[in-house]
Amino acid sequence: MTIKITINFVLLLVVVGLGSCKKYLDVLPKGSKIPTTLADFEALMRDEYGNHRAPVTQAVLLLNDRWESQGNLNYYPLWKANYYWDESVNRINLNLTDESAYYTAYAAISTFNLILQYAPTATEATEADKNMLIAQAKLARAMHYFILVNYYADTYEASTAASKLAVPLIESAEVDAPHRQVTIQEMYDHIISNVTSAIPDLPVQGATIVHGTKGAAYAFLARVYLQMSDYDKALSYANQALAQNDKLFDYTAYYQQYKTQIEQAGMYPSLPTPRGYDYIENYIMMHGEVIYSKREWYLRVDRASRFETGDAMLASRWKIRTVGADTYYYAITTGRFNEGGITTTEMYLIKAECLARKNDYTGAMDALNAVRVKRIFAADYTALTAASTKEALDHIRRTKENETLFGIVAFGDMRRFNKDPLYATTLTKTENGTTLSLKPGSHMWTMPIPLGAIKNPGNGTIQQNVNQ
């Protein structure tokens, strides 16, 4: 699949500088030629860097799901505040220069709004082709709104969602179009309405892995409804997604394939990641912080300890290494990673949680073990059982936290469980001999909306969702 798409007819103004005087809404495609044909609009859908990227860096750092060097932490003060769980720091002020999740998402939303607004009159296309592209734009836009509402607003709770603010809802590609900062409930309603209306026009197979399909839409709705704690609907959509694709990648076989290179003492290979465009588990691809081919993020030693004994996925992706005073799990796979998209593993684990919530512990463990048998070495594998909802969910959470590293799902799940005293978790770690902790009720679990957006809200108003 071609990574860098050249679009001669349009130049997308992608990210508004956080210190710039420009309004954050001024992300309208401009250029020497206005898109007119369906092929023109479809090229926008293929723009991976502009439209299929989800840099949720601060969430990953807050979870401590990746190891970061002291140099990076000192250079980026917002990174340091989140990584060290420093509640005394005013992150609103730091977020003037350190954040990109907001602007990346709204730049993509602006492009999808352009497609939705003008593709209905595109030339050189059948009505079916136009409807398919419009449906794919609806799904892609909804995925970005889901990231925004789970990053910059409180987690969904039915009792408060209608009274707490989320983020601006923008449905027009026009500069200075009016907008409104909607409630969390309104944003979820908008997301669900858009995706359900798109499903009839989505294909079973997309032109590429960034093009939405029926399976991707079902899978995304399963994710959304799980975040809303609507287990019946989440289970229904997870099953529909698995009916489209239920394949699981075998990491035990992958390890055996590269065993000699992995186990060679003192060597840190660059193995081809299976988690790229052709990953058999993919429903839809969305890049993380970057899209170029790179080495995967490193893991903290204490984070690696939360994997099961005999986890072939851990052994295949990271290898412990000491460089100077730093010890961490060094990444040994390279390529492009589906950190922001959706996979079959997530659907199996959503299914497992929903069944556990409905007291079907056997069904829940069957779904979980279907994943685990592809991850745990045979010598270490034992099928898990559960006799209570909590026991089942503890098993499921461990696997899911490891499977959803570096994306919005791990962050959203932690926030969701933190609202329930039975499952709330206080994160702890030791840094330079000092014990640090992050409590479930900390204000740090909601990221501040960038100050640049607050000061330059376009044709509307934006209220900050946190105090610092």
Side-chain angles (χ1 to χ4, degrees), residues 411-424:
F411 185 65
D413 276 354
M414 185 66 75
R415 299 198 324 154
R416 176 168 60 89
F417 280 110
N418 278 347
K419 293 295 184 180
D420 185 339
L422 186 62
Y423 300 104

Side-chain angles (χ1 to χ4, degrees), residues 173-215:
E174 303 299 332
V175 174
D176 277 343
H179 69 87
R180 184 170 63 91
Q181 186 177 6
V182 297
T183 67
I184 295 171
Q185 185 67 58
E186 287 174 312
M187 182 58 78
Y188 271 82
D189 289 344
H190 182 270
I191 288 169
I192 291 169
S193 174
N194 268 244
V195 178
T196 53
S197 69
I199 289 173
D201 294 310
L202 288 171
V204 172
Q205 181 71 42
T208 73
I209 199 59
V210 301
H211 287 71
T213 61
K214 291 185 187 297

